[in-house]
Amino acid sequence: MTELIAGIRVPDSAIARAATQLVRDTEDDLLYNHSRRVFFWGALTGDRRGSDYDPELLYLGAMFHDMGLTERYSSPDLRFEVDSANTARDFMNSYGVSERDIEDVWTAIALHTTPGIPEHMRPTIALVTAGVEMDVLGIAYDDFSHHHRHEVCACHPRESNFKENIIDHFHEGIKKKPSTTFGNVKADVLALKNPTYKRINFCSIIFGSAWPT
């Protein structure tokens, strides 16, 4: 049965249903509901902007964007965003999705914690990040009607302590590979949660390189 939430239809194709089931079976309630909300915020943003986006690709990007935080899909040495993107790519390949569409979803997921770039790219890429930024950071919160916010969160609730818990989920997913946070926002998570964490300094790397000058 096709779901309609806040005026947005959830894609009901075979690949979308399979993605939903895989993510539901892999992620806990917090990450699953967060991923679903990201889709709705992204789609509502796309409608508000008049973007010509593909709902199925947006849905896949939203649903897979945090899979790299789970033990099952986490690698020992890659950014969790890349692990998530690789998981989506493997899944889409198994359904014979075109390389261009896979590239859009892969890039959308890989860049969703890199501010200032995705918004200038193709709709799938821009809208996944917009959805994440709304749900985690509250960016453009007032651009969504109270009715839409209430309806989405009624179907996919935000826990009362979601802010703290999402940070805990980020920390659990990256604490064993701190070097992967260099140059991205997840370094802030380690700085908050791990008192022994020391940030890698970009300028120190330049001055410490093998170049004589």
Side-chain angles (χ1 to χ4, degrees), residues 45 48-49 130 133-134 137-144 149:
T45 300
R48 186 173 65 247
R49 294 175 179 174
E133 290 179 340
M134 164 58 176
L137 304 174
I139 292 175
Y141 180 89
D142 290 327
D143 290 340
F144 299 83
R149 293 195 304 264

Side-chain angles (χ1 to χ4, degrees), residues 194-207:
N194 183 353
T196 66
Y197 172 67
K198 294 183 179 180
R199 292 178 184 268
I200 300 172
N201 185 279
F202 176 65
C203 293
S204 295
I205 294 174
I206 294 174
F207 287 127

Side-chain angles (χ1 to χ4, degrees), residues 4-199:
L4 183 67
I5 299 173
I8 300 297
R9 292 189 183 279
V10 178
D12 193 35
S13 60
I15 190 173
R17 293 193 300 271
T20 301
Q21 192 61 56
L22 176 60
V23 175
R24 194 72 190 95
D25 291 344
T26 305
E27 296 183 349
D28 63 12
D29 288 346
L30 183 141
L31 286 181
Y32 172 77
N33 284 319
H34 162 60
S35 296
R36 292 272 289 192
R37 291 194 306 269
V38 165
F39 165 71
F40 290 110
W41 306 140
L44 287 165
T45 300
D47 287 352
R48 186 173 65 247
R49 294 175 179 174
S51 299
D52 183 20
Y53 68 93
D54 183 321
E56 185 173 87
L57 296 183
L58 176 59
Y59 187 73
L60 293 171
M63 292 307 291
F64 279 94
H65 84 276
D66 274 344
M67 287 285 269
L69 293 174
T70 68
E71 184 176 356
R72 179 176 176 182
Y73 291 106
S74 177
S75 71
D77 58 353
L78 298 178
R79 285 177 57 163
F80 91 88
E81 301 94 332
V82 174
D83 287 334
S84 301
N86 287 344
T87 301
R89 179 174 60 197
D90 292 344
F91 176 83
M92 295 172 73
N93 269 323
S94 73
Y95 279 82
V97 177
S98 73
E99 188 58 37
R100 168 64 180 268
D101 288 347
I102 292 174
E103 180 183 335
D104 269 11
V105 172
W106 192 96
T107 304
I109 296 171
L111 290 180
H112 82 266
T113 61
T114 305
I117 295 176
E119 65 200 70
H120 303 289
M121 301 181 75
R122 290 190 292 271
T124 298
I125 302 166
L127 295 178
V128 167
T129 291
V132 171
E133 290 179 340
M134 164 58 176
D135 205 58
V136 177
L137 304 174
I139 292 175
Y141 180 89
D142 290 327
D143 290 340
F144 299 83
S145 70
H146 172 78
H147 172 73
H148 284 164
R149 293 195 304 264
H150 174 76
E151 189 171 350
V152 171
C153 292
C155 295
H156 295 288
R158 286 175 64 95
E159 300 177 2
S160 58
N161 54 347
F162 174 78
K163 293 178 179 179
E164 183 68 33
N165 283 343
I166 193 65
I167 293 174
D168 286 341
H169 278 66
F170 293 150
H171 180 240
E172 285 299 312
I174 63 178
K175 66 182 182 181
K176 295 180 181 179
K177 43 183 181 179
S179 63
T180 65
T181 67
F182 174 56
N184 69 77
V185 297
K186 290 302 184 283
D188 294 338
V189 173
L190 293 180
L192 175 67
K193 291 293 183 177
N194 183 353
T196 66
Y197 172 67
K198 294 183 179 180
R199 292 178 184 268

